[in-house]
Amino acid sequence: MDKLLFGDNQFFGVNHMSEEKARAQAMRFQKSSAISQVLAAAYDEGIRTFMCTTHDRLSDICDHIRENPSSFPEFSFYPCMPYAHKYANAATEDGIVGAIRRFTPQEGMLSAALRGGLSLATKDIEGITTLLIDAEMKMFQGLRCPVIFLQNVVVDFLLGLGVKDAFQIFATHVRKKYGAEPGFITMNMPRLLDLLDEVGIENPIVCANINKIGFRMCGGVDAYEQALRKRKFRAIAMSVFASGAVSAEEGIEWVCAQPNIESIVFGASSRANIRSTKILVDRYWRSAA
Amino acid sequence: MIRLAVMGLGKMGLSHLSMIRAHPDVHVVAVCDASKYLLDVVEKYTGIKTFSDYGRMLKEASLDAIIIATPSRFHADNVRDALDRGLHVFCEKPFSLNFAQSEELGLLATKKKLINQVGYHYRFVGAFQEFHRVLGSGALGKISHVRAEAYGPVVVRPKGMSWRTQKNEGGGCLYDYAAHPLDLLNWFFGLPDSVAGTVAASIFSKDTEDEVYSTLRYPGGMSAQLSVNWSDESNRKMSVKLTAWGTAGKLYADRQECQVYLRDGAKPPPGYTTGWNVRYTTELTEPVWFYVRGEEYSAQLDYFVRCISEGRSENVNSFASAARTDRILEMLLADSQANLTASQVIEVRQKKALSR
């Protein structure tokens, strides 16, 4: 994995600090071309990986990358699925089972209907899960996706419920069908590591909030530091600026001093911010190493 | 260990189940739902014992506490049965569809010395807690007006068929959505004297209102305006906002931040100055033991658990408090019906005649 991964919250009106800022960003990135422009700038600055939610609007971006292979020769996606609001809103409208039905893919209706229908009937979440993964992955056809993530709201929901099988089902399907490494995003890193150990997912890729002020680091900063020091896993730090509560330099300096972090995922809306983040990471990561 | 069950496995029930099962002081011993299908899946993958008969679960599961997340119209009966069994009860909002009944359940829980809490999670959002603190400090002077708003993308097309869009199930924008900002008003300012000009109108739903507007009048002359619309797709998710205007300043909060403007001569609370002050969620939010979808959801359940283990007598979001919110909801409902135009009255009568 690259040291620096580019995230996508800024493109889809996700801002954990201010609703006003979130709306301003949603307006600015209303047209997919505005997103593509920032991605091109990121690529120019040496960023090669886009870690992105499987938001409906992302399919435009996938099209753009497919249509311009020469501009993005080494570009990789790390899809993060699912875009949970889509399912949550559907569940509010149609109930839980109705929502699952609504998202079975249109293409290959027969096999989908058989697999999904059968899965629904036999209460076998393996069939339903793989069907939903395939639906989410459709837009990435022909693009390089070496790591596929399960989003934190799903990871943490299943972690709390104790649906252990789901993690192995996801990992196996992602490896087998897409030749990709499974990744897990979480707000409860120490606890998730225990569960992944238990179900036999070795040296997992885990992406979690890792920041100086302990924002959304459930289990506490100490438990996170311990885990980074002692556990065998591949850590990706997100929210290193704690939604803006920590300054860029302070955030990067601190996170680069933590042991065993493989990558940092960050969001930025301008070339200047991408460049300055990259400069900081190059400076502090090198000095820490 | 508190032995706990979850009744009702819809969106909220499953979300509560995930968080509470991860709580170190709680042992989830059973769940109950009407969908046999869902129960089979839950039992198969989590190993939790399942019941389709609520009465049987109460009798057989030897519980200390229960979380009730059934469709709103079942709340009152479910809660009463649980209290009769001597259980501490956390019930989803709105509490019940009849405030007299809500009050009675509040009295019953108090009499039996049982912890009773309703899931108005916005009271556990750091920014609204800060709003409460600043307001309580008196720094804003005399409050003349408050605006309480909620917008979000729940019903954005003329279809959908869950209980939330069925009036007789206790669905609708008033009870399901407006209840949140109204509960915050209840928390901050208590009961209004009167409500007027209430509009509860449909945008897409056949059976229920999708938007609610109203003017509330409080003792001492303060007024509030409510503006709620759950068919607003421009919001990615539910957004609740409160703004208060006082003689010495203005106060605003949403889930992410609390903004305070204090005029010269105001008495700023500790840490505040005159002019603009902004506090963000990152500094206002207390860490939680487990996170699924927002600290406030975890925090309210942890609070419920602590109230039980510490045997507290008074609690945030008690049944008595939620009963007052139910009362405000009923005031709005009655006012909206009193405000119908002549043609709307005819329409309502025709619908009633047809449903007979």
Side-chain angles (χ1 to χ4, degrees):
Chain A
M1 292 191 291
D2 296 337
K3 284 255 175 290
L4 211 45
L5 315 172
F6 199 53
D8 73 341
N9 272 351
Q10 70 280 10
F11 296 142
F12 299 119
V14 182
N15 185 299
H16 299 298
M17 199 113 159
S18 150
E19 291 190 357
E20 257 171 72
K21 278 179 204 151
R23 183 176 305 129
Q25 285 174 332
M27 287 173 185
R28 186 175 155 203
F29 292 108
Q30 174 149 298
K31 285 201 176 131
S32 298
S33 58
I35 300 177
S36 304
Q37 274 167 21
V38 176
L39 285 182
Y43 196 88
D44 274 355
E45 296 296 332
I47 307 288
R48 292 292 174 265
T49 308
F50 184 33
M51 186 164 163
C52 54
T53 315
T54 52
H55 194 287
D56 287 338
R57 284 194 52 211
L58 205 76
S59 63
D60 287 350
I61 307 302
C62 291
D63 288 344
H64 178 77
I65 306 287
R66 258 189 299 263
E67 285 157 13
N68 299 281
S70 57
S71 312
F72 300 92
E74 294 166 36
F75 203 67
S76 289
F77 285 89
Y78 285 3
C80 307
M81 62 178 59
Y83 178 60
H85 283 293
K86 184 167 74 181
Y87 293 95
N89 291 341
T92 308
E93 279 187 14
D94 292 343
I96 306 267
V97 177
I100 294 170
R101 288 223 164 92
R102 202 200 279 188
F103 290 104
T104 49
Q106 295 297 308
E107 196 183 278
M109 273 302 281
L110 185 66
S111 71
L114 274 177
R115 187 145 56 109
L118 225 56
S119 307
L120 281 178
T122 58
K123 295 136 189 169
D124 167 14
I125 55 170
E126 183 160 357
I128 299 169
T129 309
T130 53
L131 200 63
L132 291 176
I133 296 171
D134 293 350
E136 298 274 328
M137 282 303 289
K138 246 188 81 187
M139 67 174 104
F140 297 98
Q141 230 159 36
L143 296 168
R144 201 178 304 133
C145 299
V147 184
I148 299 173
F149 283 93
L150 200 55
Q151 285 281 21
N152 58 286
V153 68
V154 176
V155 167
D156 292 331
F157 173 69
L158 295 170
L159 176 65
L161 275 185
V163 183
K164 296 174 188 166
D165 296 357
F167 296 91
Q168 195 53 265
I169 291 169
F170 176 77
T172 307
H173 188 67
V174 153
R175 282 203 177 104
K176 248 206 226 147
K177 176 140 188 190
Y178 300 96
E181 265 300 295
F184 304 92
I185 308 175
T186 183
M187 301 290 168
N188 307 284
M189 193 182 85
R191 194 184 188 105
L192 176 69
L193 290 173
D194 289 343
L195 185 132
L196 294 178
D197 255 1
E198 197 186 322
V199 300
I201 297 176
E202 282 171 19
N203 199 21
I205 297 177
V206 174
C207 175
N209 275 22
I210 300 180
N211 54 62
K212 196 178 179 177
I213 61 166
F215 181 56
R216 295 209 172 133
M217 294 166 64
C218 289
V221 181
D222 290 348
Y224 272 59
E225 282 182 343
Q226 282 251 338
L228 286 169
R229 227 173 285 283
K230 294 184 179 154
R231 315 280 302 244
K232 192 163 160 47
F233 71 111
R234 302 172 64 190
I236 301 177
M238 66 174 176
S239 203
V240 294
F241 310 131
S243 295
V246 180
S247 77
E249 176 142 14
E250 203 184 353
I252 297 280
E253 182 178 9
W254 183 85
V255 84
C256 287
Q258 303 309 305
N260 300 319
I261 290 176
E262 203 167 314
S263 303
I264 294 170
V265 58
F266 79 108
S269 307
S270 70
R271 180 186 290 258
N273 280 344
I274 296 168
R275 180 177 295 165
S276 62
T277 306
K278 187 144 194 315
I279 290 171
L280 284 173
V281 169
D282 287 344
R283 182 191 309 156
Y284 286 109
W285 211 311
R286 212 165 283 153
S287 70
Chain B
M1 281 300 233
I2 295 166
R3 292 175 57 86
L4 179 143
V6 176
M7 169 61 179
L9 296 180
K11 203 170 89 176
M12 290 312 297
L14 283 170
S15 143
H16 289 318
L17 178 62
S18 167
M19 284 176 256
I20 203 70
R21 204 182 186 202
H23 198 290
D25 302 333
V26 173
H27 177 35
V28 175
V29 286
V31 294
C32 180
D33 195 87
S35 162
K36 193 79 180 51
Y37 183 89
L38 203 56
L39 290 182
D40 286 348
V41 175
V42 168
E43 188 157 312
K44 182 171 170 185
Y45 289 98
T46 69
I48 301 172
K49 188 162 174 45
T50 63
F51 289 86
S52 52
D53 181 330
Y54 182 55
R56 242 192 79 202
M57 179 173 78
L58 292 183
K59 212 151 100 193
E60 293 175 12
S62 51
L63 302 168
D64 302 313
I66 191 160
I67 293 175
I68 292 169
T70 46
S72 308
R73 83 175 158 106
F74 299 116
H75 287 176
D77 287 346
N78 292 161
V79 167
R80 184 173 291 108
D81 290 347
L83 292 175
D84 284 343
R85 285 257 160 208
L87 305 189
H88 304 291
V89 179
F90 179 100
C91 180
E92 249 317 306
K93 48 75 27 188
F95 184 31
S96 98
L97 304 177
N98 172 327
F99 88 86
Q101 191 171 241
S102 303
E103 281 179 341
E104 182 207 318
L105 290 171
L107 290 174
L108 181 62
T110 313
K111 198 177 112 199
K112 288 180 168 271
K113 296 191 165 50
L114 294 166
I115 300 300
N116 50 99
Q117 192 179 329
V118 174
Y120 283 111
H121 57 260
Y122 282 96
R123 293 200 193 192
F124 288 87
V125 169
F128 290 116
Q129 292 175 335
E130 188 65 9
F131 189 105
H132 190 237
R133 270 192 294 273
V134 173
L135 200 65
S137 77
L140 291 184
K142 184 172 157 52
I143 306 292
S144 63
H145 185 69
V146 180
R147 192 167 66 204
E149 301 166 274
Y151 309 105
V154 179
V155 177
V156 292
R157 58 178 72 88
K159 60 170 217 167
M161 47 181 192
S162 87
W163 67 268
R164 282 171 209 276
T165 50
Q166 285 166 34
K167 191 108 233 162
N168 57 7
E169 296 278 310
C173 179
L174 176 64
Y175 273 90
D176 210 44
Y177 231 56
H180 283 296
L182 286 171
D183 181 69
L184 287 174
L185 284 177
N186 173 22
W187 185 28
F188 300 143
F189 305 104
L191 282 175
D193 274 339
S194 65
V195 304
T198 306
V199 174
S202 160
I203 300 170
F204 298 115
S205 295
K206 271 195 211 96
D207 197 35
T208 53
E209 72 285 345
D210 297 314
E211 55 183 354
V212 181
Y213 309 101
S214 186
T215 301
L216 297 84
R217 291 190 175 281
Y218 289 80
M222 190 194 92
S223 64
Q225 274 180 336
L226 176 80
S227 172
V228 179
N229 179 338
W230 77 0
S231 299
D232 179 358
E233 201 195 58
S234 73
N235 284 276
R236 197 172 62 91
K237 55 183 184 177
M238 186 185 196
S239 165
V240 171
K241 322 171 196 208
L242 253 83
T243 315
W245 285 265
T247 48
K250 172 176 152 173
L251 176 58
Y252 167 88
D254 59 34
R255 192 174 170 277
Q256 313 292 357
E257 60 186 319
C258 183
Q259 302 174 345
V260 188
Y261 183 87
L262 295 173
R263 298 180 58 187
D264 281 343
K267 291 194 189 80
Y272 282 81
T273 59
T274 51
W276 280 109
N277 301 262
V278 187
R279 297 282 182 278
Y280 291 106
T281 176
T282 38
E283 53 188 309
L284 296 172
T285 305
E286 293 291 322
V288 292
W289 87 97
F290 187 70
Y291 181 103
V292 175
R293 53 182 303 209
E295 282 86 357
E296 64 272 29
Y297 293 97
S298 305
Q300 64 172 354
L301 290 180
D302 184 52
Y303 181 82
F304 177 61
V305 169
R306 282 191 203 190
C307 283
I308 295 173
S309 47
E310 292 165 19
R312 291 186 201 171
S313 57
E314 178 51 34
N315 55 310
V316 171
N317 283 337
S318 65
F319 287 178
S321 159
R324 288 191 285 276
T325 301
D326 287 343
R327 182 170 184 169
I328 302 173
L329 287 164
E330 270 183 59
M331 288 168 79
L332 262 70
L333 189 64
D335 184 52
S336 72
Q337 285 163 352
N339 278 322
L340 294 180
T341 61
S343 61
Q344 284 170 321
V345 169
I346 292 167
E347 200 184 318
V348 168
R349 277 194 194 138
Q350 281 170 342
K351 266 192 191 164
K352 271 192 187 154
L354 279 175
S355 66
R356 272 185 221 123

